Amino acid sequence: MTLELSGYETLLVRQDGAILTITLNRPELRNATNNLMEQELCRVLGDANHDPDVRVLIVTGAGQAFCAGGDFEYIRQNQAEPSKSWDAGLRGKQIIFTLLDCVKPIIAKINGHAIGFGATLALFCDVTFAANHAKIGDPHVAIGLVAGDGGSVIWPQLVGYARAKEHLFTGEPLLAPEAARIGLINHAVPAEELDQAVEAFASKLASMPARALQWTKASVNIGLKQLAHSIMDASIAYELLSITTEDHGEAMTALREKRKPKFTGK
Protein backbone atom coordinates (compact mmCIF):
# COMPACT_ATOMS: atom_id res chain seq x y z
CA MET A 1 0.00 0.00 0.00
CA THR A 2 1.03 3.63 -0.44
CA LEU A 3 0.80 5.60 2.80
CA GLU A 4 -1.13 8.83 2.45
CA LEU A 5 1.00 11.75 3.65
CA SER A 6 -1.53 14.54 3.07
CA GLY A 7 -5.19 15.07 3.75
CA TYR A 8 -4.82 15.53 7.50
CA GLU A 9 -6.18 18.63 9.25
CA THR A 10 -4.54 18.15 12.66
CA LEU A 11 -1.36 16.26 11.75
CA LEU A 12 1.73 16.76 9.62
CA VAL A 13 3.01 13.48 8.19
CA ARG A 14 6.47 13.18 6.59
CA GLN A 15 8.32 10.12 5.35
CA ASP A 16 12.11 10.04 5.05
CA GLY A 17 13.07 6.66 3.70
CA ALA A 18 11.92 4.07 6.22
CA ILE A 19 11.18 6.64 8.94
CA LEU A 20 7.72 8.20 9.28
CA THR A 21 7.34 11.34 11.40
CA ILE A 22 3.88 12.24 12.71
CA THR A 23 3.62 15.78 14.08
CA LEU A 24 0.63 16.86 16.15
CA ASN A 25 -0.25 20.13 14.47
CA ARG A 26 -2.42 22.40 16.58
CA PRO A 27 0.38 24.62 17.91
CA GLU A 28 -1.95 27.51 18.77
CA LEU A 29 -3.60 25.17 21.31
CA ARG A 30 -0.35 23.44 22.34
CA ASN A 31 -1.45 20.46 20.22
CA ALA A 32 -4.42 19.68 22.44
CA THR A 33 -6.38 16.70 21.17
CA ASN A 34 -9.94 16.77 19.86
CA ASN A 35 -12.23 14.35 18.07
CA LEU A 36 -10.62 14.89 14.67
CA MET A 37 -7.04 14.55 15.90
CA GLU A 38 -7.91 11.31 17.67
CA GLN A 39 -9.46 9.90 14.49
CA GLU A 40 -6.51 11.01 12.36
CA LEU A 41 -3.98 9.52 14.78
CA CYS A 42 -5.69 6.13 14.65
CA ARG A 43 -5.82 6.32 10.87
CA VAL A 44 -2.16 7.19 10.27
CA LEU A 45 -0.85 4.75 12.88
CA GLY A 46 -2.94 1.94 11.41
CA ASP A 47 -1.88 2.75 7.85
CA ALA A 48 1.80 2.94 8.83
CA ASN A 49 1.56 -0.44 10.51
CA HIS A 50 0.58 -2.01 7.20
CA ASP A 51 3.03 -0.11 4.98
CA PRO A 52 6.10 -2.28 4.26
CA ASP A 53 8.18 0.81 3.45
CA VAL A 54 7.78 2.18 7.00
CA ARG A 55 10.05 0.64 9.62
CA VAL A 56 10.10 3.27 12.37
CA LEU A 57 7.65 5.95 13.51
CA ILE A 58 8.36 9.20 15.36
CA VAL A 59 5.59 11.12 17.14
CA THR A 60 6.22 14.76 18.09
CA GLY A 61 4.48 18.12 18.40
CA ALA A 62 4.52 21.34 16.41
CA GLY A 63 5.65 24.52 18.11
CA GLN A 64 6.56 24.71 21.78
CA ALA A 65 4.55 21.77 23.16
CA PHE A 66 4.32 18.03 22.57
CA CYS A 67 0.66 17.81 23.60
CA ALA A 68 -1.29 19.66 26.29
CA GLY A 69 -3.88 16.87 26.62
CA GLY A 70 -7.54 17.26 25.77
CA ASP A 71 -8.78 20.51 24.27
CA PHE A 72 -10.73 22.26 27.08
CA GLU A 73 -13.56 23.18 24.70
CA TYR A 74 -13.73 19.51 23.73
CA ILE A 75 -13.83 18.55 27.42
CA ARG A 76 -16.62 21.07 28.09
CA GLN A 77 -18.68 19.66 25.23
CA ASN A 78 -18.20 16.17 26.63
CA GLN A 79 -19.29 17.40 30.04
CA ALA A 80 -22.49 18.85 28.57
CA GLU A 81 -23.34 15.76 26.51
CA PRO A 82 -22.59 12.41 28.20
CA SER A 83 -22.93 10.48 24.93
CA LYS A 84 -20.00 12.47 23.51
CA SER A 85 -17.98 11.57 26.60
CA TRP A 86 -18.55 7.88 25.93
CA ASP A 87 -17.46 8.25 22.32
CA ALA A 88 -14.36 10.17 23.40
CA GLY A 89 -13.48 7.45 25.89
CA LEU A 90 -13.73 4.79 23.21
CA ARG A 91 -11.50 6.80 20.87
CA GLY A 92 -8.92 7.25 23.61
CA LYS A 93 -8.90 3.51 24.16
CA GLN A 94 -8.59 2.95 20.41
CA ILE A 95 -5.49 5.17 20.24
CA ILE A 96 -3.83 3.24 23.06
CA PHE A 97 -4.45 -0.12 21.41
CA THR A 98 -3.44 1.21 18.00
CA LEU A 99 -0.09 2.18 19.54
CA LEU A 100 0.25 -1.22 21.19
CA ASP A 101 -0.87 -3.18 18.12
CA CYS A 102 1.47 -1.36 15.74
CA VAL A 103 4.43 -3.71 15.31
CA LYS A 104 6.72 -0.93 14.08
CA PRO A 105 8.75 0.74 16.84
CA ILE A 106 7.37 4.16 17.80
CA ILE A 107 9.62 6.87 19.24
CA ALA A 108 8.15 9.80 21.17
CA LYS A 109 10.11 12.99 20.53
CA ILE A 110 8.87 15.10 23.43
CA ASN A 111 9.84 18.56 22.25
CA GLY A 112 7.83 20.36 24.94
CA HIS A 113 5.33 19.74 27.70
CA ALA A 114 3.34 16.48 27.56
CA ILE A 115 0.35 16.82 29.86
CA GLY A 116 -2.69 14.64 30.58
CA PHE A 117 -3.51 12.55 27.53
CA GLY A 118 -0.41 14.07 25.94
CA ALA A 119 1.67 12.29 28.58
CA THR A 120 -0.29 9.08 28.04
CA LEU A 121 0.30 9.27 24.30
CA ALA A 122 4.04 9.77 24.76
CA LEU A 123 4.46 7.09 27.43
CA PHE A 124 2.69 4.42 25.38
CA CYS A 125 5.27 4.91 22.64
CA ASP A 126 8.11 2.38 22.73
CA VAL A 127 11.09 4.65 23.41
CA THR A 128 10.91 8.22 24.68
CA PHE A 129 13.30 11.14 24.23
CA ALA A 130 12.53 14.53 25.78
CA ALA A 131 14.09 17.97 25.76
CA ASN A 132 15.39 18.89 29.20
CA HIS A 133 12.87 21.72 29.60
CA ALA A 134 9.85 19.52 28.82
CA LYS A 135 7.46 18.63 31.64
CA ILE A 136 5.51 15.38 31.80
CA GLY A 137 2.46 15.14 34.02
CA ASP A 138 -1.11 13.85 34.32
CA PRO A 139 -3.35 16.39 36.10
CA HIS A 140 -6.68 14.63 35.57
CA VAL A 141 -7.43 14.59 39.30
CA ALA A 142 -6.63 18.30 39.58
CA ILE A 143 -9.62 19.07 37.34
CA GLY A 144 -11.90 16.56 39.03
CA LEU A 145 -11.39 13.68 36.60
CA VAL A 146 -10.17 10.11 36.96
CA ALA A 147 -6.90 9.36 35.14
CA GLY A 148 -8.81 6.87 33.02
CA ASP A 149 -7.49 7.34 29.50
CA GLY A 150 -4.39 5.19 29.99
CA GLY A 151 -2.41 6.88 32.75
CA SER A 152 -3.57 4.34 35.34
CA VAL A 153 -2.15 1.60 33.09
CA ILE A 154 1.21 2.95 31.98
CA TRP A 155 2.55 4.98 34.91
CA PRO A 156 2.74 2.03 37.36
CA GLN A 157 4.51 -0.10 34.75
CA LEU A 158 7.20 2.54 34.24
CA VAL A 159 7.82 3.91 37.76
CA GLY A 160 6.10 1.48 40.14
CA TYR A 161 2.82 1.81 41.99
CA ALA A 162 3.94 4.12 44.80
CA ARG A 163 5.48 6.74 42.52
CA ALA A 164 2.64 6.41 40.01
CA LYS A 165 0.04 7.06 42.69
CA GLU A 166 1.92 10.09 44.01
CA HIS A 167 2.14 11.71 40.59
CA LEU A 168 -1.36 10.75 39.43
CA PHE A 169 -2.89 11.91 42.73
CA THR A 170 -1.22 15.34 42.65
CA GLY A 171 -0.81 15.88 38.91
CA GLU A 172 2.45 17.69 39.54
CA PRO A 173 4.58 17.53 36.38
CA LEU A 174 8.12 16.21 36.23
CA LEU A 175 10.92 17.88 34.34
CA ALA A 176 12.43 15.55 31.75
CA PRO A 177 15.74 14.89 33.60
CA GLU A 178 13.84 13.77 36.71
CA ALA A 179 11.42 11.74 34.57
CA ALA A 180 14.41 9.97 33.00
CA ARG A 181 16.03 9.40 36.40
CA ILE A 182 13.00 7.51 37.74
CA GLY A 183 12.42 5.60 34.50
CA LEU A 184 9.28 7.37 33.28
CA ILE A 185 11.05 8.21 30.00
CA ASN A 186 14.19 6.83 28.38
CA HIS A 187 16.29 9.91 27.67
CA ALA A 188 16.41 13.62 28.52
CA VAL A 189 18.70 15.73 26.37
CA PRO A 190 19.35 19.43 25.73
CA ALA A 191 16.70 20.85 23.40
CA GLU A 192 19.26 21.62 20.71
CA GLU A 193 20.33 17.96 20.67
CA LEU A 194 16.85 16.40 20.60
CA ASP A 195 16.42 16.15 16.83
CA GLN A 196 19.85 14.62 16.32
CA ALA A 197 19.41 12.11 19.15
CA VAL A 198 16.03 10.92 17.86
CA GLU A 199 17.15 10.78 14.24
CA ALA A 200 20.23 8.74 15.15
CA PHE A 201 18.19 6.25 17.18
CA ALA A 202 15.48 6.00 14.52
CA SER A 203 18.09 5.37 11.83
CA LYS A 204 19.67 2.68 13.99
CA LEU A 205 16.34 0.89 14.40
CA ALA A 206 15.52 1.27 10.69
CA SER A 207 18.74 -0.54 9.81
CA MET A 208 18.00 -3.55 12.02
CA PRO A 209 16.28 -6.81 10.97
CA ALA A 210 12.70 -5.62 10.59
CA ARG A 211 10.84 -8.82 11.47
CA ALA A 212 13.00 -9.59 14.50
CA LEU A 213 12.48 -6.04 15.77
CA GLN A 214 8.74 -6.07 15.15
CA TRP A 215 8.13 -9.45 16.69
CA THR A 216 10.20 -8.52 19.72
CA LYS A 217 7.96 -5.49 20.23
CA ALA A 218 4.89 -7.68 19.76
CA SER A 219 6.21 -10.14 22.36
CA VAL A 220 7.05 -7.45 24.92
CA ASN A 221 3.64 -5.84 24.46
CA ILE A 222 1.66 -9.01 25.20
CA GLY A 223 1.65 -8.39 28.93
CA LEU A 224 1.03 -4.65 28.55
CA LYS A 225 -1.94 -5.29 26.27
CA GLN A 226 -3.37 -7.77 28.76
CA LEU A 227 -3.11 -5.12 31.47
CA ALA A 228 -4.67 -2.48 29.26
CA HIS A 229 -7.55 -4.80 28.38
CA SER A 230 -8.17 -5.59 32.04
CA ILE A 231 -7.96 -1.98 33.28
CA MET A 232 -9.10 0.46 30.62
CA ASP A 233 -12.82 -0.29 30.40
CA ALA A 234 -13.17 0.24 34.14
CA SER A 235 -10.89 3.28 34.27
CA ILE A 236 -12.69 4.94 31.34
CA ALA A 237 -16.03 4.24 33.01
CA TYR A 238 -14.75 5.83 36.24
CA GLU A 239 -13.54 8.84 34.25
CA LEU A 240 -16.92 9.20 32.58
CA LEU A 241 -18.57 9.00 35.99
CA SER A 242 -16.25 11.70 37.34
CA ILE A 243 -17.36 14.04 34.53
CA THR A 244 -20.78 14.19 36.23
CA THR A 245 -19.41 15.36 39.60
CA GLU A 246 -19.83 18.87 40.98
CA ASP A 247 -16.07 19.03 41.59
CA HIS A 248 -15.33 18.59 37.89
CA GLY A 249 -17.88 21.26 37.02
CA GLU A 250 -16.25 23.58 39.55
CA ALA A 251 -12.80 22.88 38.11
CA MET A 252 -13.95 23.80 34.59
CA THR A 253 -15.69 26.95 35.85
CA ALA A 254 -12.56 27.96 37.76
CA LEU A 255 -10.45 27.50 34.64
CA ARG A 256 -12.76 29.75 32.65
CA GLU A 257 -12.75 32.35 35.43
CA LYS A 258 -8.98 31.98 35.99
CA ARG A 259 -9.25 31.29 39.70
CA LYS A 260 -8.48 28.50 42.13
CA PRO A 261 -11.27 25.89 42.35
CA LYS A 262 -13.15 25.23 45.58
CA PHE A 263 -13.81 21.51 45.78
CA THR A 264 -16.56 20.08 48.00
CA GLY A 265 -16.10 16.35 47.37
CA LYS A 266 -19.41 16.12 45.54
Side-chain angles (χ1 to χ4, degrees), residues 107-108 110 127-132 136 176-177 179-181 183-190 194 197-198 201:
I107 303 167
I110 307 170
V127 180
T128 46
F129 289 76
N132 282 338
I136 299 101
R181 186 189 70 80
L184 186 68
I185 62 173
N186 293 88
H187 303 282
V189 300
L194 181 63
V198 171
F201 187 70

Coordinates of all heavy atoms in Angstrom, one line a residue, residues 107-108 110 127-132 136 176-177 179-181 183-190 194 197-198 201:
I107 N 8.8 6.0 18.4 CA 9.6 6.9 19.2 C 8.8 8.1 19.5 O 8.3 8.8 18.6 CB 11.0 7.2 18.6 CG1 11.7 6.0 18.2 CG2 11.8 8.1 19.5 CD1 12.9 6.2 17.2
A108 N 8.7 8.5 20.8 CA 8.1 9.8 21.2 C 9.3 10.8 21.3 O 10.2 10.6 22.0 CB 7.4 9.7 22.5
I110 N 9.6 14.2 22.6 CA 8.9 15.1 23.4 C 9.6 16.4 23.4 O 10.5 16.7 24.2 CB 8.8 14.5 24.9 CG1 8.2 13.1 24.8 CG2 7.9 15.4 25.7 CD1 8.3 12.3 26.1
V127 N 9.9 4.0 22.9 CA 11.1 4.6 23.4 C 10.8 6.1 23.4 O 10.3 6.7 22.5 CB 12.3 4.3 22.6 CG1 13.6 5.0 23.2 CG2 12.5 2.8 22.5
T128 N 11.2 6.8 24.5 CA 10.9 8.2 24.7 C 12.2 9.1 24.9 O 13.0 8.8 25.7 CB 10.0 8.4 25.9 OG1 10.5 7.6 27.0 CG2 8.6 7.9 25.6
F129 N 12.3 10.1 24.1 CA 13.3 11.1 24.2 C 12.6 12.5 24.5 O 11.6 12.8 23.9 CB 14.1 11.3 22.9 CG 15.0 10.2 22.6 CD1 14.5 9.0 22.1 CD2 16.4 10.3 22.7 CE1 15.3 7.9 21.7 CE2 17.2 9.2 22.4 CZ 16.7 8.0 21.9
A130 N 13.1 13.2 25.5 CA 12.5 14.5 25.8 C 13.6 15.6 25.9 O 14.7 15.3 26.4 CB 11.7 14.4 27.1
A131 N 13.2 16.8 25.5 CA 14.1 18.0 25.8 C 14.1 18.2 27.3 O 13.1 18.0 28.0 CB 13.6 19.2 25.0
N132 N 15.2 18.7 27.8 CA 15.4 18.9 29.2 C 14.3 19.8 29.8 O 14.0 19.6 31.0 CB 16.8 19.4 29.5 CG 17.9 18.4 29.5 OD1 17.6 17.2 29.6 ND2 19.1 18.8 29.3
I136 N 6.4 16.5 32.0 CA 5.5 15.4 31.8 C 4.6 15.2 33.0 O 5.2 15.1 34.2 CB 6.3 14.1 31.5 CG1 7.1 14.2 30.2 CG2 5.3 12.9 31.3 CD1 8.6 14.4 30.5
A176 N 11.9 16.7 32.5 CA 12.4 15.6 31.8 C 13.6 14.9 32.4 O 13.6 13.6 32.5 CB 12.8 15.9 30.3
P177 N 14.6 15.6 32.9 CA 15.7 14.9 33.6 C 15.3 14.0 34.8 O 15.8 12.9 35.0 CB 16.7 16.0 34.0 CG 16.4 17.1 33.0 CD 14.9 17.0 32.8
A179 N 12.2 12.8 35.1 CA 11.4 11.7 34.6 C 12.3 10.6 34.1 O 12.0 9.4 34.2 CB 10.5 12.3 33.4
A180 N 13.5 11.0 33.5 CA 14.4 10.0 33.0 C 15.1 9.3 34.2 O 15.3 8.0 34.1 CB 15.5 10.6 32.1
R181 N 15.4 10.0 35.2 CA 16.0 9.4 36.4 C 15.2 8.3 37.0 O 15.7 7.3 37.4 CB 16.3 10.5 37.4 CG 17.2 10.0 38.6 CD 17.3 11.0 39.7 NE 16.0 11.2 40.4 CZ 15.6 10.4 41.4 NH1 16.3 9.3 41.7 NH2 14.4 10.6 42.0
G183 N 12.8 6.6 35.5 CA 12.4 5.6 34.5 C 11.1 5.9 33.8 O 10.6 5.0 33.1
L184 N 10.5 7.1 34.0 CA 9.3 7.4 33.3 C 9.5 7.5 31.8 O 8.7 7.1 31.0 CB 8.7 8.7 33.9 CG 7.3 9.0 33.3 CD1 6.2 8.0 33.8 CD2 6.9 10.4 33.8
I185 N 10.7 8.1 31.4 CA 11.0 8.2 30.0 C 12.4 7.6 29.9 O 13.1 7.4 30.9 CB 11.0 9.7 29.5 CG1 12.0 10.5 30.3 CG2 9.6 10.2 29.6 CD1 12.2 11.9 29.7
N186 N 12.9 7.4 28.6 CA 14.2 6.8 28.4 C 15.3 7.8 28.5 O 16.3 7.6 29.1 CB 14.2 6.2 27.0 CG 13.3 5.0 26.9 OD1 12.2 5.1 26.6 ND2 13.9 3.8 27.2
H187 N 15.2 9.0 27.8 CA 16.3 9.9 27.7 C 15.8 11.4 27.8 O 14.8 11.7 27.2 CB 17.0 9.8 26.3 CG 17.5 8.4 26.0 ND1 18.6 7.8 26.6 CD2 17.0 7.4 25.3 CE1 18.8 6.6 26.2 NE2 17.8 6.3 25.4
A188 N 16.6 12.2 28.5 CA 16.4 13.6 28.5 C 17.7 14.2 28.0 O 18.8 13.9 28.4 CB 16.1 14.1 29.9
V189 N 17.5 15.1 27.0 CA 18.7 15.7 26.4 C 18.5 17.2 26.2 O 17.3 17.7 26.2 CB 19.0 15.1 25.0 CG1 19.2 13.6 25.1 CG2 17.8 15.3 24.0
P190 N 19.5 18.0 26.0 CA 19.3 19.4 25.7 C 18.5 19.6 24.5 O 18.5 18.8 23.5 CB 20.8 19.9 25.5 CG 21.6 19.0 26.3 CD 21.0 17.7 26.2
L194 N 18.0 17.4 20.7 CA 16.8 16.4 20.6 C 16.7 15.8 19.2 O 16.6 14.6 19.0 CB 15.6 17.1 21.1 CG 14.3 16.2 21.1 CD1 14.4 15.0 22.1 CD2 13.1 17.0 21.4
A197 N 19.5 13.3 18.4 CA 19.4 12.1 19.1 C 18.3 11.2 18.6 O 18.5 10.0 18.5 CB 19.2 12.4 20.6
V198 N 17.2 11.7 18.3 CA 16.0 10.9 17.9 C 16.3 10.4 16.5 O 16.1 9.2 16.2 CB 14.7 11.7 17.9 CG1 13.6 11.0 17.2 CG2 14.3 12.0 19.3
F201 N 18.8 7.5 16.7 CA 18.2 6.3 17.2 C 17.2 5.6 16.2 O 17.2 4.4 16.0 CB 17.5 6.5 18.5 CG 17.0 5.3 19.2 CD1 17.9 4.4 19.8 CD2 15.7 5.0 19.3 CE1 17.4 3.2 20.4 CE2 15.2 3.9 19.9 CZ 16.1 3.0 20.4

